[in-house]
Amino acid sequence: TFARFLPTVGAEWSFPLARSGSFTSFIFEPKVQAVVSPQRDDTDDVFNEDSQFFQFDQVTLFDANKSTGLDRWEDGQRLNVGLNATAALGQQVTVNSTFGAQFRTDDTTVFGRGGGIGGERSDYVGSVDLRRGSNLIIDNRFRIDKDNFAFRRLENALRGRIGPFSGNLNYLRIQGDEEFSQIDQLDEFLTVGANVQLLPGVTLAAPPPQTHDSHT
């Protein structure tokens, strides 16, 4: 039997700045989150069953505890810093973006090797999304290496509709230092799908072909 106690306190600050015009409007929101926990490594005492998969991205950037389960707890003193920006062009087009990183006083082994986080300075994570009504949606997610600025993870999704026809294109690139890949391996995935609405409530969907390329 092993027992542990990890008290955690934190504070969060943000300052939205907005500007509106006759055709465009902008919102910029810098955000800082400070979290303090004792520095404790219990990876040798607790078997990891529910926290093996972790993805550091713009979604988990401001999580006070970024671990996905209970077998791993994020420890130490850290600062999560980011910027959210939104632009609205007319009534139809909106662009949303996020960019940020984490800074720590000491390294931690909670997240294991290659997740882009755990050192005194993390990789940079972010997103850029574009919407034009419901007919065109472009989503982009990325993680950039803190040292050489290479894309360690890149996700792109394109969805569009013209009349009864709709389709989607998804591209995923995982580079080099992911938890479950070889250190120099590049994995690329491409998925394409198409649909046509024949009648209200009746849609014909083409099976999405998938391609996967992996090399070092």
Side-chain angles (χ1 to χ4, degrees):
T1 300
F2 176 78
R4 56 183 173 168
F5 177 63
L6 190 71
T8 301
V9 297
E12 189 172 288
W13 172 89
S14 64
F15 193 74
L17 303 169
R19 180 175 182 178
S20 298
S22 58
F23 182 74
T24 60
S25 61
F26 301 92
I27 299 177
F28 296 94
E29 182 186 13
K31 190 174 182 180
V32 178
Q33 181 188 67
V35 185
V36 178
S37 304
Q39 193 79 22
R40 178 168 183 176
D41 184 358
D42 55 20
T43 55
D44 294 332
D45 300 311
V46 179
F47 183 72
N48 186 10
E49 291 184 307
D50 64 7
S51 306
Q52 294 188 20
F53 176 78
F54 167 76
Q55 181 172 308
F56 178 50
D57 57 17
Q58 85 289 348
V59 176
T60 58
L61 174 61
F62 288 102
D63 288 347
N65 177 21
K66 295 178 173 56
S67 180
T68 55
L70 297 176
D71 293 337
R72 291 290 180 265
W73 293 352
E74 186 177 7
D75 63 337
Q77 295 79 54
R78 59 265 190 197
L79 198 67
N80 303 313
V81 180
L83 174 67
N84 300 317
T86 300
L89 310 176
Q91 299 295 321
Q92 291 291 321
V93 179
T94 59
V95 180
N96 299 283
S97 62
T98 301
F99 188 81
Q102 183 185 83
F103 303 89
R104 303 179 58 88
T105 57
D106 298 287
D107 295 352
T108 180
T109 59
V110 169
F111 302 110
R113 168 181 172 270
I117 190 175
E120 294 185 2
R121 180 166 56 98
S122 74
D123 287 349
Y124 303 101
V125 295
S127 65
V128 180
D129 304 329
L130 184 144
R131 301 284 189 277
R132 188 184 187 280
S134 59
N135 294 326
L136 178 63
I137 299 175
I138 302 176
D139 294 329
N140 302 280
R141 308 282 186 270
F142 56 84
R143 178 164 66 87
I144 301 175
D145 190 282
K146 64 181 182 297
D147 297 318
N148 58 17
F149 302 103
F151 282 99
R152 291 301 181 185
R153 188 178 184 94
L154 181 63
E155 300 177 65
N156 306 106
L158 170 64
R159 298 185 294 276
R161 174 183 295 275
I162 300 177
F165 301 98
S166 61
N168 61 81
L169 177 67
N170 299 280
Y171 171 74
L172 171 63
R173 171 193 173 105
I174 303 174
Q175 171 71 52
D177 64 356
E178 294 297 315
E179 183 72 16
F180 301 107
S181 69
Q182 300 178 12
I183 190 64
D184 293 322
Q185 180 171 305
L186 168 64
D187 287 308
E188 295 178 287
F189 303 85
L190 181 66
T191 304
V192 181
N195 304 278
V196 57
Q197 185 174 359
L198 303 176
L199 296 168
V202 180
T203 300
L204 178 64
Q210 299 184 9
T211 62
H212 172 219
D213 179 34
S214 178
H215 58 274
T216 57

